[in-house]
Amino acid sequence: MRILVSATLVPFMHGGAEYHIEGVCRALREHGHEVELLRLPFRFSPEADIHSLMDYAQTLDMTAPNGLAIDRAISLQFPAWGLHHPDHTVWVMHQHRACYELWDEEGTTAEQRELRQAVHAFDTRHLGAARQRFANSRRVAERLSRHNGLEAEPLYHPPHGAEQFRCDDDWGYVFCPSRLESLKRQDLLIEAARYLTTPARIIIAGDGGQRQRYQALVERHGLEHRVRLVGRFSEAEKLAWYANALAVFFGPFDEDYGYITLEAMLSAKPVITCRDSGGPLEFVQHDETGWVVEPDPRAIADAIDRAWNDRARAAEMGRAGQAAYARAGIGWPRVVARLLGEGGEG
Amino acid sequence: MTQTFDDIDSLVARLKAVARQKEQHPGSEPPPFAYRERLGEMLEAEPSPLEALDPLHPRFEELVAANQNDERFLARAYRVLMGRPLDHDGRAHYLAVLPRAGRLYVLAELLCADEARDSLARRGVTIPRRGMLTLPFRLVGRLGPVGRVLRPPMRLAYRLLAILLRPRLRLLERVLVLESQAERHAAGVRDVLLELDGELSRQGAELLDAARQGDEHAQRLSEQERMQPALWSALQHQRRALERLAGGESPATPAQCEALDQQLFDAYYLAFEDACRGSEAQIRAHLLHYQPQIDRAREAGRHALDLGCGRGEWLTLLAEQGFAPQGVDLNIAMVEHCRERGLEVAHADILTALRETPDDSLALVSAFHIAEHLPFEALYTMVDEARRALAPDGVLIIETPNPENLLVGSHTFYHDPTHRNPLTPTAMTFLLKYLGFGDVVVRRFNPYPESAKVPGDDPLTERVNGHLCGPQDFAVVGIKVSPAHLAVDAAEEDGA
């Protein structure tokens, strides 16, 4: 089949989305399909840019451009799903978050309010018209249902290099890999270090806009002997950090999906997450495969102490997480089957 | 095993080291046999738990526990309704009440107690049919003193109801237990299978590796086995040379020293042939190329002389085909080697041996890989003497490396330290014709295998392949023309 995959491109800002887009293209090709990837350049501001990109996307009729018939269209990102194709599948990675779950009525401008209205209408119309609708996670599906009144089937995909994760001896530290951004809330973990009653250490890996603030926070509380921001890491280092961790902390605010949870489960490590973290809650079962706690440093500290005080139990929870991952049947072949409407549920 | 680091710097450093090591030697240690653990968990029989399957939503049939004894029923009721173990007083009291009033009554009474009410509310537990079950209690309670009179009939009613419902509740509980067991087992089986799948693919990869290593080892072993006879025979000839020297009592004269040197060299050359000339089977297959020449020679008689007979492969073949072959070689090690095999071989110079042969006495004279060792005068004499010694229609075969193949002419020819210079097919043909041989033809053998050739069939590729991968040996073959032939030829010429 000829399949057109469409997404957006934010030049030189690479994250999980790149892996996701490339992953789905590769998986489709490996199943013997011809795949073309269409990426629309995206700018977050000014508002007029987003308006014009929405308008442009709507003009794209991809049924048979230049007389060459395309069998399927699969769209992953806003506003690429505005294009037209009679057999259009959307797999919503996430919506334009600034207009949805990150919207804050306070201090908004008239332009922003107008944009929000337009985005909602655009999504409701085009996502509603798709022949098949999937969401990156249950969390994303919930938002779609709440804001646009549309149902979508959650469709999970595996993290990069899923087969490489391993579990080694626990070296008594909590690992937290993420970009250093406010939404990822590493500050909760740093603050938690102040309330620890056990000698557990905290390793925060990754880089980002909040690095200086987080480093200052560590120094302000004199936590240098406990908390370390280790910065960027290689692939091998990532695997080693996971493999020897006591537990993994991943407590972002309302995450869409979150590879970290899955990577921790693949490494057989229990996950400490928060009640409002979104995506991770679909996988972490409190007291079974990790701890779901209030987004409060004391509660997080308590979970870390519990992991430290019964390390055998923590390891057992990690293994339970690994088994849960295996049971969930997360893999590219299933993704392809669902996207192309070939396989049944399960 | 867990490990704790005294300071965070050493922890970070250690982890980076581990990461580097894994990067350089990926997959150096196999993961543990996780499936055995899962299998063990599955095989462990689990007693029916006190806790309800879903602690927040216990099922009615779980509470009644119709398939279990009174003691277990009470223990579960306490655990589910009040979140605590059965105490001694409660146990004694209810074990006495149960035979008279039945389990539904006991459950209702417990549900009406303040402790259960508080505990259920605190833990957010919902009990199905709670209202219906406790309704009589509440009504009777409201009636005050009159209610006391109504208690015994109420108890009886509860008991009758319990008896009536028992078969159904038993069945429901059984189904529930079976369902949960089946679910747990299915999950267990799936886990074990997944683990096994991983384990199998890991072991498959290991087997593949081992097979590859095995192949390499086998190859190295066969190489060494091929070298072994050469080493043994070299060793033996060294020893024999030493014995000959030690046998003489007088101090070694210069002549003896020279003899030893020659013997040492002969031993070296035999080992060299053993190591480099290919297996006997290979050589035999090659020699069979000369079947047409053998057949032709047979018509001229059965005496054959092989000049420079070496290890005697050709002599053996001729003997099998009904000839009475003789060999001659200057190399004492070769001569001994042949004699041990029962072949008739003289230790002599080839020209001397030829000169001693009467005229017209041989059906076949052969010289395999000798010509390139000789100075031209000797080569000339050899061909000339061979013609004299051959009977009419006798066959001469001279095989030598083929310098038309550039790699032979420039490289492999020089493996042998006793080679002089390559001979060309043209020069050899002329030599035979000049010295009176008829039907002189050149035969070419042993090209490189197809796999060594440059792929393609255009003229350039063919030329490259011809020059680099073409036949590595050639033979010039001639027939001693009988006087009769000459007469016929002359007659034909006359008639023309």
Side-chain angles (χ1 to χ4, degrees), chain B residues 337-486:
Chain B
H337 178 89
C338 287
R339 285 179 180 162
E340 278 164 21
R341 279 162 178 68
L343 297 166
E344 194 181 322
V345 174
H347 180 217
D349 174 76
I350 53 169
L351 292 183
T352 315
L354 262 177
R355 284 195 184 109
E356 286 170 3
T357 311
D359 290 1
D360 299 333
S361 62
L362 296 171
L364 177 59
V365 173
S366 50
F368 291 96
H369 293 267
I370 285 297
E372 68 273 20
H373 295 259
L374 303 176
F376 183 72
E377 308 86 75
L379 177 60
Y380 181 97
T381 311
M382 180 184 88
V383 177
D384 197 27
E385 282 293 319
R387 202 192 61 81
R388 181 193 59 76
L390 277 170
D393 287 331
V395 178
L396 172 67
I397 300 172
I398 299 175
E399 187 187 287
T400 184
N402 182 10
E404 288 171 332
N405 178 324
L406 294 180
L407 289 178
V408 172
S410 66
H411 174 212
T412 59
F413 183 84
Y414 298 100
H415 286 333
D416 188 327
T418 63
H419 278 178
R420 293 176 70 93
N421 49 271
L423 300 165
T424 67
T426 312
M428 291 304 290
T429 306
F430 182 77
L431 179 62
L432 262 67
K433 282 183 172 170
Y434 181 83
L435 290 176
F437 281 89
D439 289 357
V440 177
V441 289
V442 172
R443 303 196 54 198
R444 294 175 170 82
F445 308 106
N446 305 330
Y448 279 26
E450 283 301 315
S451 57
K453 291 186 178 170
V454 183
D457 54 3
D458 55 289
L460 179 63
T461 312
E462 270 176 22
R463 193 141 180 192
V464 167
N465 283 331
H467 280 315
L468 296 178
C469 304
Q472 301 174 79
D473 299 306
F474 79 93
V476 59
V477 176
I479 307 294
K480 176 169 174 177
V481 184
S482 65
H485 278 140
L486 286 176

Side-chain angles (χ1 to χ4, degrees), chain A residues 57-261:
Chain A
Q58 295 183 92
T59 67
L60 299 172
D61 185 346
M62 289 291 152
T63 313
N66 308 305
L68 216 60
I70 294 177
D71 301 299
R72 293 286 179 93
I74 298 174
S75 299
L76 305 174
Q77 285 175 307
F78 168 85
W81 49 61
L83 62 81
H84 175 73
H85 191 278
D87 200 343
H88 195 181
T89 294
V90 287
W91 184 14
V92 180
M93 195 183 286
H94 54 70
Q95 294 173 273
H96 187 53
R97 300 188 68 182
C99 292
Y100 287 98
E101 68 274 13
L102 302 183
W103 176 259
D104 189 355
E105 196 66 41
E106 262 182 56
T108 51
T109 62
E111 284 94 330
Q112 284 168 336
R113 281 193 292 276
E114 194 193 321
L115 176 69
R116 176 169 185 258
Q117 218 166 14
V119 169
H120 278 238
F122 179 92
D123 282 355
T124 306
R125 185 146 75 92
H126 292 291
L127 294 175
R131 203 180 60 75
Q132 285 193 106
R133 238 179 343 266
F134 298 96
N136 205 22
S137 67
R138 207 164 67 207
R139 186 70 198 140
V140 171
E142 278 166 12
R143 291 186 203 139
L144 203 57
S145 167
R146 191 168 68 242
H147 296 294
N148 307 88
L150 295 170
E151 297 310 312
E153 177 189 325
L155 180 59
Y156 301 129
H157 66 284
H160 176 62
E163 65 291 342
Q164 288 171 16
F165 289 89
R166 62 175 195 274
C167 179
D168 281 345
D169 300 340
D170 133 33
W171 289 358
Y173 62 89
V174 171
F175 181 44
C176 173
S178 269
R179 283 204 317 281
L180 302 181
E181 304 295 355
S182 306
L183 273 179
K184 305 290 181 190
R185 298 196 301 201
Q186 284 92 342
D187 46 350
L188 282 176
L189 183 60
I190 297 171
E191 297 265 5
R194 299 166 62 194
Y195 303 107
L196 287 175
T197 59
T198 58
R201 320 255 174 202
I202 289 165
I203 300 290
I204 297 174
D207 208 341
Q210 297 296 314
R211 178 155 194 168
Q212 288 190 338
R213 183 168 79 82
Y214 287 154
Q215 187 58 47
L217 195 60
V218 170
E219 280 157 26
R220 175 154 19 105
H221 296 305
L223 294 167
E224 294 91 336
H225 63 290
R226 271 195 176 278
V227 182
R228 178 61 50 90
L229 299 175
V230 294
R232 290 169 183 277
F233 45 85
S234 72
E235 202 59 14
E237 277 170 5
K238 178 178 82 179
L239 298 174
W241 285 122
Y242 271 116
N244 294 293
L246 165 67
V248 169
F249 174 78
F250 186 47
F253 173 71
D254 204 355
E255 182 76 24
D256 305 318
Y257 183 40
Y259 292 127
I260 315 285
T261 322

Side-chain angles (χ1 to χ4, degrees), chain B residues 108-388:
Chain B
E109 191 172 278
L110 281 171
L111 277 170
C112 289
D114 289 343
E115 186 186 350
R117 260 202 300 243
D118 292 349
S119 170
L120 291 174
R122 195 176 59 246
R123 290 179 295 136
V125 178
T126 2
I127 302 295
R129 307 205 187 126
R130 182 177 180 179
M132 237 171 9
L133 194 62
T134 53
L135 184 66
F137 258 92
R138 282 180 278 139
L139 289 178
V140 169
R142 251 178 241 160
L143 293 177
V146 187
R148 205 162 294 168
V149 186
L150 288 174
R151 281 230 164 189
M154 181 180 78
R155 255 202 317 258
L156 188 68
Y158 265 107
R159 186 158 177 232
L160 286 175
L161 187 67
I163 292 169
L164 215 62
L165 285 177
R166 193 185 293 151
R168 185 175 158 71
L169 286 170
R170 269 199 176 147
L171 207 62
L172 283 173
E173 196 203 1
R174 187 91 197 108
V175 168
L176 187 69
V177 168
L178 285 176
E179 254 177 11
S180 79
Q181 268 176 2
E183 213 170 284
R184 210 166 39 246
H185 282 167
V189 166
R190 189 166 167 183
D191 283 357
V192 169
L193 285 177
L194 282 167
E195 298 280 5
L196 276 176
D197 184 43
E199 188 64 31
L200 276 178
S201 61
R202 196 176 64 71
Q203 294 199 350
E206 270 175 16
L207 273 178
L208 221 62
D209 264 4
R212 211 169 305 139
Q213 274 185 357
D215 281 353
E216 265 170 37
H217 287 158
Q219 216 171 352
R220 230 177 293 161
L221 198 65
S222 79
E223 189 122 326
Q224 294 197 347
E225 273 171 358
R226 216 159 55 76
M227 291 293 289
Q228 202 186 32
L231 292 172
W232 277 116
S233 88
L235 189 66
Q236 191 185 353
H237 287 284
Q238 302 272 17
R239 204 189 59 219
R240 219 172 279 176
L242 202 64
E243 279 166 5
R244 283 200 194 97
L245 189 66
E249 281 178 15
S250 57
T253 63
Q256 268 176 328
C257 285
E258 208 173 295
L260 172 67
D261 288 348
Q262 185 58 44
Q263 282 170 1
L264 282 177
F265 180 78
D266 288 354
Y268 165 79
Y269 198 75
L270 177 63
F272 170 74
E273 288 248 295
D274 282 340
C276 296
R277 224 186 136 203
S279 72
E280 301 214 355
Q282 282 170 327
I283 289 171
R284 187 183 167 82
H286 165 60
L287 293 177
L288 282 172
H289 285 134
Y290 291 102
Q291 193 62 49
Q293 279 70 40
I294 294 173
D295 292 341
R296 184 142 187 203
R298 197 178 285 117
E299 288 171 19
R302 50 188 292 274
H303 289 286
L305 178 63
D306 188 26
L307 305 170
C309 62
R311 295 186 299 189
E313 295 97 342
W314 176 246
L315 294 177
T316 308
L317 180 69
L318 289 180
E320 280 169 21
Q321 301 232 3
F323 284 86
Q326 276 188 307
V328 53
D329 207 304
L330 255 184
N331 187 321
I332 183 69
M334 299 287 190
V335 173
E336 282 174 5
H337 178 89
C338 287
R339 285 179 180 162
E340 278 164 21
R341 279 162 178 68
L343 297 166
E344 194 181 322
V345 174
H347 180 217
D349 174 76
I350 53 169
L351 292 183
T352 315
L354 262 177
R355 284 195 184 109
E356 286 170 3
T357 311
D359 290 1
D360 299 333
S361 62
L362 296 171
L364 177 59
V365 173
S366 50
F368 291 96
H369 293 267
I370 285 297
E372 68 273 20
H373 295 259
L374 303 176
F376 183 72
E377 308 86 75
L379 177 60
Y380 181 97
T381 311
M382 180 184 88
V383 177
D384 197 27
E385 282 293 319
R387 202 192 61 81
R388 181 193 59 76

Side-chain angles (χ1 to χ4, degrees), chain A residues 170-171 201 228 241 327, chain B residues 3 5-6 8-9 15:
Chain A
D170 133 33
W171 289 358
R201 320 255 174 202
R228 178 61 50 90
W241 285 122
R327 265 201 299 279
Chain B
Q3 210 169 332
F5 291 84
D6 289 332
I8 198 161
D9 288 311
L15 260 159

